[in-house]
Amino acid sequence: MPEKPHGMLSYSIKGLTPSQVESSRRSHGENYITKKKRNGFFHQFLASFGDPIIKVLLCALAINVIFLFRNFDWYESVGIAIAIFLATFVSTLSEYGSESAFIKLQEDAEKIHCRVKRAAGIVSLPVGEIVVGDIVLLQSGEKVPADGILISGELMVDQSALNGESKEAIKIPSLQEAPLQDLMAKNQLFCGSVVCSGDGAMVVRRVGDHTFYGNMAQEMQEETRESPLKKRLAELADTISKMGYMAAALVAAADLFNALVIDNGFVLSEILSEIQCLPLLIEDILHAATLAITVVVVAVPEGLPMMITVVLSSNMFRMLKDNVLVRKLVGIETSGNINILFTDKTGTLTKGKLEVIRFITGSGKEFKRASDFRHCRELYRWMQLSGFYNTASVVSQGCALGGNATDRALMDYMLPGAPPKYTKLEMLAFSSEAKFSAVHIKGEQDLYLVKGAPEKILSGCKGYYDEKGRVQSFTGKALLNEKWKDMTKNAVRVLAIASAPGPVKTAADLTGMTFIGLVGIRDEIRPQVKKSVTQAQQAGVQVVMITGDNRETAVAIARESGILPSSSPGDAVITSNEMASMSDGELKQILPRLRVVARALPTDKSRLVRLAQELNMVTGMTGDGINDAPALKKADVGFAMGSGTEVAKEAGDIVILDNNFASIAKAILYGRTIFKSIRKFIVFQLTMNLCAVGVSIIGPFIGIDTPVTVIQMLWINIIMDTLAGLAFAGEPPLKEYMKEKPKRREEPVLNSTMIHQIVWMGLFTIVMCVLFLKLEWVKEYFRYQEDSIYFMTAFFALFIFSGVFNSFNARTHRLNLFAHLWKNWSFIVIMAAVSAVQILLIYFGGSLFRTASLTRAELHVVLMIAFLVIPADLIRKLVLRFQGKQGEI
């Protein structure tokens, strides 16, 4: 059975035979969307080693193993290896588990069955077994399984998953086959849409990847650009490695100068003699190389990848409590950098469900809820009868089911409660041509009820029911017309409800009616949306609403949600047609002022994301439909709605489980908190690294070759890496972060404030440690002459406790170090645990940690000296404030 792409539709009314099914499957393929081959866990794990910081660590590990193995200093190597493994493994595990959950969702979707007419009769088949040429039978509540042409019946179809429009589309049969996939075509049905009412039969024309749904799914398989965090970490890795290599070169040069020149008393003949002695020279070079490699290893922040993974993972679980499910860990941090957010309207800004928001009586009195006029018993009874009987919906488990969205909204408005018992004798269903529906019911009375467009109903009403159910002369039509127009301007769908004196078959029968009321129906703005939009805008995020609705409806919703201020320029609102007439350059010029795109097509969304990225903006995209999937995938961070399609969820980085824009604002806040936590950790670790490198460099020149032993350095690394990472991972999200501007995509991780703090505190601790090691009175106080182990124990304690105190400096830019501290209990517990373990090591570490018991007075003096880092950083903060700077990171 050949397919005709143009002209009259050809199909077999009897259904396909088995041989025709196989032939069609070979020619047109199966009804499955081709999925990109998924990397296995091990492959993803190996790919994690491509992280720039991990690469630096691997180099450091290799050098450490090669050059330091001869000294059996394997503790450092093991520490780096563990840090690398944990960072890559945890990250891979989180994302792999999330991907598995979404694959399961897709597999469940493919298990759906549909009714198909084959030559052997009507059979129920999984959607995957449908082929081109099949006749699929459809009824209310079923999903359309493939693209096709309606050949019989009449359907009301919800295509919002495909085009974002909440308004249902009417589909009627036609044998004329259009050459293009046109969502507005009256006879075309598309995979992914849902039948709201009616029955019909469809002949399948496209399956699998060739459907509208499939085309969208294929577009999302494109690779996205590198995230801002990865880009910044690559630059940080480059900076750290360069600094480490420079420091290593300086240390090696200094050590060689010390061994060859200073040790030989600057005597040229002795210097030349040592240079000419190959064994001595090799020994000097190896010592310098060993010292240089030690500096590289110490300088590299091996805890950073682990800390980033920990902070992302821990916040992933915290965000889940706020109805935000993270699929890709890096998406959390990226959300905090968004400059522009393209948001869908239906289901995101609005509730995604039509509701009756107003009932207006014939006298002009308004009620919001049905319960507000329940005391008007007769009027309430008329509304009950209309809501429960002049409808195609039915009550199921306490809510409306079936029918179109308007019918369900009216029925839900009158629920809970049971209507008077009547029997529905005859019903004239609503049609887009007639613009009204009518029903004949019988019970206590023989009644005829009508509902429809006000322009159809109002003119035919000669009276109205007052609040006591009495018929009054209808003199207030002008007032009702005014209220009707006012509601229409605010994107409210208006219906008029009336009773008729006799049967209603055509528009000519709409005379002599009695008016019951006007009903305003709308997909309401979510309660927290305006506040959340304002919060996002204050955070420097440009919010742009993209909707399939017409210009007037889009403007009304945008104004109510706070997206479109009253003082907006004329080009803040454009339609898809206007956008199509613009070149990329012209669209880029108005993009910073753009707030609303009406009548949007799926391609418009992808184009806007692409152009925003070309302007170097970090883009966010929200959506729930198949039409949103390509843009969700292309955006720097895609927010998919929890009630959305599987394709949209697959494309997104983050799933908003409650479909609420307020949750997106929370995700932005979490993203900013995470980036600040990462920066705080970097300040803490690089300060300690700088101190460790400085002491390692200076130590040999002041007569102390190993100020810190290898096993002590392992403990220091545990503090700097794993424990500090856990401590800073719990930093609370503060509302003040939402008043800052988004970070530029190219903004480095290390900013000037951080560098100043690292350098200032690093140099201060180096000077403090060197003076501690060099001053004679310090040596005397800590019994250096009696046994140097007491003195070195005191230095070890000084190094650790100065780091602990400095962690309080790193976690806040405020003068008050306890600000918001109690919101991060993990920080308090971890730092208290580090201090407790350090005290235990002082008294019980023994020869393994090169420690000996200090007196209580000696320990107090060490703590007081270490505490000097607090006032030292306080001075830095005061200077910044004197200069009019806050010093925030």
Side-chain angles (χ1 to χ4, degrees):
M1 184 192 70
E3 179 184 355
K4 294 181 181 180
H6 304 286
M8 297 303 292
L9 180 65
S10 174
Y11 64 95
S12 172
I13 196 168
K14 294 180 180 179
L16 302 181
T17 64
S19 61
Q20 288 175 325
V21 169
E22 289 304 316
S23 175
S24 179
R25 188 172 286 127
R26 284 194 299 270
S27 300
H28 304 286
E30 296 183 316
N31 195 30
Y32 290 107
I33 294 173
T34 304
K35 297 184 181 70
K36 185 178 178 181
K37 186 178 179 181
R38 184 187 182 218
N39 293 326
F41 181 86
F42 186 67
H43 190 279
Q44 287 189 33
F45 178 64
L46 291 179
S48 300
F49 287 89
D51 183 276
I53 295 290
I54 294 292
K55 287 179 180 178
V56 173
L57 288 180
L58 289 171
C59 291
L61 177 61
I63 294 170
N64 197 46
V65 170
I66 293 170
F67 285 92
L68 301 185
F69 187 72
R70 65 191 186 91
N71 293 328
F72 300 101
D73 294 342
W74 54 271
Y75 298 106
E76 180 70 37
S77 301
V78 170
I80 297 175
I82 291 173
I84 293 172
F85 173 77
L86 289 177
T88 52
F89 184 79
V90 172
S91 176
T92 305
L93 190 65
S94 296
E95 294 201 9
Y96 185 85
S98 181
E99 292 292 335
S100 297
F102 277 83
I103 287 175
K104 180 66 167 60
L105 279 175
Q106 285 192 327
E107 289 173 349
D108 290 343
E110 290 170 357
K111 293 176 182 176
I112 297 172
H113 283 59
C114 60
R115 293 172 298 136
V116 181
K117 186 177 182 181
R118 292 269 172 93
I122 297 174
V123 293
S124 177
L125 296 174
V127 293
E129 293 187 19
I130 293 170
V131 297
V132 170
D134 265 331
I135 296 176
V136 178
L137 305 181
L138 297 168
Q139 64 183 18
S140 179
E142 293 182 336
K143 274 192 176 182
V144 178
D147 289 2
I149 305 295
L150 187 66
I151 57 175
S152 68
E154 183 174 317
L155 304 175
M156 291 293 289
V157 179
D158 179 4
Q159 298 183 143
S160 59
L162 302 174
N163 63 4
E165 288 195 43
S166 55
K167 186 178 179 181
E168 293 152 358
I170 187 167
K171 299 292 181 178
I172 55 178
S174 171
L175 295 180
Q176 190 70 28
E177 186 168 15
L180 300 174
Q181 293 172 307
D182 182 6
L183 290 171
M184 305 308 293
K186 292 288 187 182
N187 67 330
Q188 291 191 37
L189 294 167
F190 296 89
C191 176
S193 54
V194 179
V195 178
C196 297
S197 62
D199 295 276
M202 172 191 83
V203 60
V204 176
R205 308 314 285 156
R206 286 174 292 273
V207 294
D209 294 339
H210 304 293
T211 62
F212 190 91
Y213 186 110
N215 288 334
M216 294 290 181
Q218 292 306 308
E219 274 191 62
M220 351 156 354
Q221 311 238 6
E222 297 176 7
E223 291 298 321
T224 55
R225 67 174 180 171
E226 191 177 49
S227 72
L229 181 61
K230 287 188 176 180
K231 187 174 184 293
R232 290 167 179 157
L233 288 178
E235 294 171 356
L236 178 64
D238 185 56
T239 301
I240 289 173
S241 59
K242 285 178 180 177
M243 291 171 59
Y245 297 144
M246 287 173 60
L250 288 172
V251 168
D255 188 66
L256 282 173
F257 183 80
N258 181 63
L260 297 174
V261 179
I262 297 176
D263 287 353
N264 288 307
F266 293 91
V267 178
L268 184 60
S269 58
E270 291 188 15
I271 294 172
L272 291 173
S273 175
E274 185 163 343
I275 291 174
Q276 292 169 357
C277 180
L278 192 59
L280 281 176
L281 182 61
I282 291 174
E283 184 66 29
D284 290 338
I285 291 172
L286 280 176
H287 187 273
T290 300
L291 191 59
I293 298 306
T294 302
V295 169
V296 170
V297 172
V298 170
V300 172
E302 60 263 40
L304 184 57
M306 180 62 193
M307 184 271 169
I308 291 172
T309 302
V310 167
V311 74
L312 291 176
S313 298
S314 64
N315 278 276
M316 178 177 73
F317 291 109
R318 290 165 68 182
M319 291 172 74
L320 191 57
K321 295 177 182 178
D322 284 328
N323 296 306
V324 180
L325 172 65
V326 179
R327 292 190 58 233
K328 297 175 184 176
L329 288 180
V330 75
I332 311 176
E333 191 278 332
T334 307
S335 62
N337 297 286
I338 291 173
N339 304 110
I340 185 167
L341 176 64
F342 298 107
T343 178
D344 192 25
K345 180 203 68 136
T346 306
T348 306
L349 297 174
T350 65
K351 295 178 181 178
K353 177 185 177 183
L354 289 179
E355 295 177 339
V356 175
I357 62 168
R358 195 175 304 172
F359 173 73
I360 304 175
T361 67
S363 63
K365 191 168 183 179
E366 296 186 17
F367 298 97
K368 285 187 177 181
R369 294 176 296 273
S371 58
D372 293 343
F373 66 95
R374 187 173 289 170
H375 62 281
C376 308
R377 293 184 180 180
E378 286 302 312
L379 187 62
Y380 185 80
R381 173 178 168 274
W382 280 113
M383 270 302 296
Q384 273 192 316
L385 291 170
S386 181
F388 284 101
Y389 292 106
N390 191 6
T391 178
S393 300
V394 295
V395 178
S396 176
Q397 297 181 345
C399 59
L401 184 68
N404 59 38
T406 303
D407 285 344
R408 293 193 296 273
L410 282 168
M411 185 174 282
D412 280 333
Y413 185 63
M414 301 312 299
L415 287 171
K421 290 187 178 181
Y422 274 74
T423 302
K424 188 186 295 187
L425 300 179
E426 190 178 4
M427 182 171 181
L428 178 68
F430 181 89
S431 68
S432 55
E433 290 79 16
K435 293 187 178 179
F436 71 89
S437 68
V439 68
H440 177 198
I441 60 175
K442 191 168 186 179
E444 294 178 6
Q445 299 170 275
D446 209 17
L447 302 175
Y448 300 90
L449 301 172
V450 182
K451 77 169 186 290
E455 63 268 26
K456 290 282 186 180
I457 307 298
L458 282 175
S459 59
C461 294
K462 66 176 183 180
Y464 74 92
Y465 293 107
D466 65 14
E467 294 176 29
K468 294 184 179 180
R470 297 173 300 198
V471 179
Q472 304 289 347
S473 178
F474 205 178
T475 57
K477 287 187 182 181
L479 175 62
L480 289 178
N481 279 323
E482 188 178 324
K483 288 180 178 289
W484 161 31
K485 290 176 182 177
D486 182 59
M487 285 193 286
T488 303
K489 286 179 184 177
N490 289 287
V492 179
R493 187 184 303 178
V494 184
L495 287 179
I497 299 174
S499 68
V504 177
K505 301 291 185 181
T506 65
D509 299 323
L510 298 175
T511 59
M513 298 185 295
T514 305
F515 181 76
I516 297 172
L518 281 182
V519 175
I521 301 175
R522 192 174 73 158
D523 183 5
E524 275 283 80
I525 297 287
R526 290 182 180 273
Q528 295 178 314
V529 160
K530 189 168 185 178
K531 179 181 177 183
S532 301
V533 167
T534 302
Q535 189 181 24
Q537 291 171 336
Q538 288 176 343
V541 180
Q542 179 186 345
V543 182
V544 180
M545 185 181 80
I546 305 178
T547 177
D549 288 329
N550 61 49
R551 189 187 192 105
E552 293 72 23
T553 300
V555 167
I557 296 295
R559 289 200 189 283
E560 187 176 348
S561 60
I563 291 174
L564 185 67
S566 55
S567 58
S568 297
D571 55 7
V573 181
I574 62 173
T575 64
S576 178
N577 289 336
E578 292 169 343
M579 184 173 153
S581 67
M582 296 180 185
S583 66
D584 283 356
E586 290 171 332
L587 192 51
K588 282 181 180 179
Q589 286 184 339
I590 72 163
L591 192 55
R593 301 186 295 276
L594 187 63
R595 294 296 180 271
V596 178
V597 180
R599 291 294 187 199
L601 300 174
T603 51
D604 296 334
K605 300 177 182 183
S606 295
R607 185 186 179 197
L608 285 167
V609 169
R610 174 175 59 81
L611 294 180
Q613 290 179 335
E614 287 177 8
L615 291 172
N616 214 26
M617 303 172 83
V618 179
T619 61
M621 174 72 198
T622 75
D624 59 355
I626 301 160
N627 62 315
D628 300 318
L632 285 169
K633 179 75 173 179
K634 191 184 292 287
D636 291 298
V637 56
F639 298 97
M641 298 299 109
S643 62
T645 61
E646 286 76 20
V647 172
K649 293 175 185 177
E650 179 69 26
D653 303 294
I654 293 173
V655 179
I656 306 300
L657 298 176
D658 60 353
N659 305 328
N660 198 337
F661 189 89
S663 297
I664 298 173
K666 290 177 184 176
I668 294 173
L669 174 57
Y670 273 108
R672 295 189 172 190
T673 303
I674 287 166
F675 188 58
K676 285 184 176 290
S677 297
I678 291 171
R679 279 185 156 180
K680 291 173 183 180
F681 174 77
I682 289 171
V683 167
F684 168 76
Q685 188 172 53
L686 292 187
T687 301
M688 288 195 74
N689 281 6
L690 180 58
C691 180
V693 169
V695 172
S696 298
I697 292 172
I698 297 171
F701 295 97
I702 60 174
I704 301 176
D705 288 330
T706 54
V708 179
T709 66
V710 172
I711 194 70
Q712 287 175 347
M713 187 60 73
L714 179 62
W715 168 233
I716 291 170
N717 279 349
I718 290 174
I719 297 171
M720 288 193 299
D721 303 342
T722 309
L723 296 178
L726 291 170
F728 284 101
E731 283 297 286
L734 305 178
K735 291 182 179 179
E736 64 192 53
Y737 298 160
M738 292 297 280
K739 296 179 181 178
E740 300 175 8
K741 291 183 178 180
K743 301 292 185 288
R744 303 186 317 277
R745 178 176 168 79
E746 66 275 9
E747 182 171 328
V749 175
L750 282 172
N751 63 15
S752 58
T753 300
M754 294 170 67
I755 293 171
H756 291 158
Q757 185 172 358
I758 291 166
V759 172
W760 172 262
M761 293 309 301
L763 291 177
F764 179 83
T765 49
I766 288 172
V767 170
M768 183 177 68
C769 289
V770 169
L771 289 175
F772 187 93
L773 292 169
K774 195 65 178 172
L775 291 174
E776 289 300 324
W777 71 265
V778 176
K779 291 183 178 180
E780 288 178 10
Y781 188 83
F782 291 101
R783 297 174 280 169
Y784 184 79
Q785 300 302 327
E786 178 183 335
D787 191 337
S788 63
I789 192 170
Y790 297 110
F791 175 69
M792 298 313 299
T793 300
F795 176 76
F796 177 40
L798 173 69
F799 193 93
I800 296 297
F801 285 121
S802 63
V804 170
F805 287 130
N806 200 42
S807 68
F808 287 84
N809 291 330
R811 65 164 297 275
T812 180
H813 69 279
R814 291 177 167 84
L815 299 178
N816 177 15
L817 298 184
F818 297 103
H820 306 292
L821 178 61
W822 311 115
K823 294 179 181 178
N824 185 2
W825 278 100
S826 60
F827 183 91
I828 301 170
V829 171
I830 288 171
M831 290 307 161
V834 168
S835 301
V837 171
Q838 181 59 34
I839 291 173
L840 289 174
L841 292 179
I842 290 173
Y843 293 100
F844 303 102
S847 59
L848 180 62
F849 281 89
R850 197 184 68 180
T851 57
S853 299
L854 298 176
T855 65
R856 184 177 296 180
E858 288 172 336
L859 181 59
H860 288 167
V861 170
V862 168
L863 289 172
M864 284 190 289
I865 296 173
F867 185 78
L868 291 175
V869 299
I870 298 291
D873 193 59
L874 186 63
I875 292 170
R876 180 191 64 83
K877 291 174 180 176
L878 288 171
V879 170
L880 284 174
R881 277 161 174 72
F882 182 75
Q883 295 174 344
K885 301 175 182 177
Q886 286 296 315
E888 295 181 53
I889 61 174

